[in-house]
Amino acid sequence: MDKSVPDPPITPEAEDLRTESLIKDREAIKRALDYYLAPPSQYTEKNRRPSTMYMIAPNMDTESLLAQACESLASASVMTSDFATNLIGPQRSTAMAIQQIIMLAELAVNRALDNVDPA
């Protein structure tokens, strides 16, 4: 469909305003993308303070920490396995895969615990 009125000619002033607007838009887009897609350390590391709501005592020894992690992983493995028994199809496979990942992490923590305190 043809327009009945042609576009007005672009003046140098209008072109300058358009260029400035595009530059500002690009800068805003870059800031937004950097904020949402940049690595978290760029924006949050400066102001990051760890929460003290759930804090592990700083003087805890490595063996105790590994033993607690091992027990937590064992509990998570059992809970995931029990949960998977009530599922069918792909959801069951996903739950069993999660359980296997937890079990592998538990094995790694057990090995680290053995390395810290050999029997």
Side-chain angles (χ1 to χ4, degrees), residues 7-27:
D7 289 334
I10 298 176
T11 62
E13 294 84 18
E15 185 66 30
D16 289 344
L17 288 174
R18 184 171 179 252
T19 304
E20 283 181 30
S21 175
L22 286 174
I23 289 172
K24 287 180 182 178
D25 287 347
R26 285 185 183 144
E27 289 172 354

Side-chain angles (χ1 to χ4, degrees), residues 35-55:
Y35 179 79
Y36 288 106
L37 300 178
S41 62
Q42 182 178 353
Y43 288 101
T44 58
E45 202 169 284
K46 291 181 256 180
N47 302 326
R48 184 179 181 281
R49 290 184 321 187
S51 172
T52 57
M53 185 172 188
Y54 302 105
M55 187 172 156

Side-chain angles (χ1 to χ4, degrees), residues 2 8 10 12 24 28 43 47 51 54 57 61 68 74 77 80 87 96 105 112 114 119:
D2 292 327
I10 298 176
K24 287 180 182 178
Y43 288 101
N47 302 326
S51 172
Y54 302 105
D61 61 305
Q68 182 64 39
S77 178
T80 308
L87 299 173
M96 292 303 291
D114 290 341

Side-chain angles (χ1 to χ4, degrees), residues 1 8 11 15-16 25 32-34 48 58-59 63 77 82 84 91 97 101-102 106 110 114 116-117:
M1 179 172 162
T11 62
E15 185 66 30
D16 289 344
D25 287 347
L33 288 173
D34 286 346
R48 184 179 181 281
N59 58 350
E63 183 181 358
S77 178
D82 289 345
Q91 290 84 11
I101 292 169
I102 293 170
E106 182 185 1
N110 274 327
D114 290 341
V116 168
D117 186 27

Side-chain angles (χ1 to χ4, degrees), residues 47-119:
N47 302 326
R48 184 179 181 281
R49 290 184 321 187
S51 172
T52 57
M53 185 172 188
Y54 302 105
M55 187 172 156
I56 296 174
N59 58 350
M60 290 295 296
D61 61 305
T62 304
E63 183 181 358
S64 297
L65 293 171
L66 286 171
Q68 182 64 39
C70 181
E71 290 174 8
S72 297
L73 286 168
S75 297
S77 178
V78 169
M79 287 188 295
T80 308
S81 180
D82 289 345
F83 179 67
T85 60
N86 298 323
L87 299 173
I88 56 171
Q91 290 84 11
R92 185 176 194 285
S93 298
T94 302
M96 292 303 291
I98 293 169
Q99 189 269 338
Q100 185 176 13
I101 292 169
I102 293 170
M103 182 192 64
L104 292 172
E106 182 185 1
L107 289 172
V109 170
N110 274 327
R111 179 57 55 125
L113 189 56
D114 290 341
N115 290 342
V116 168
D117 186 27

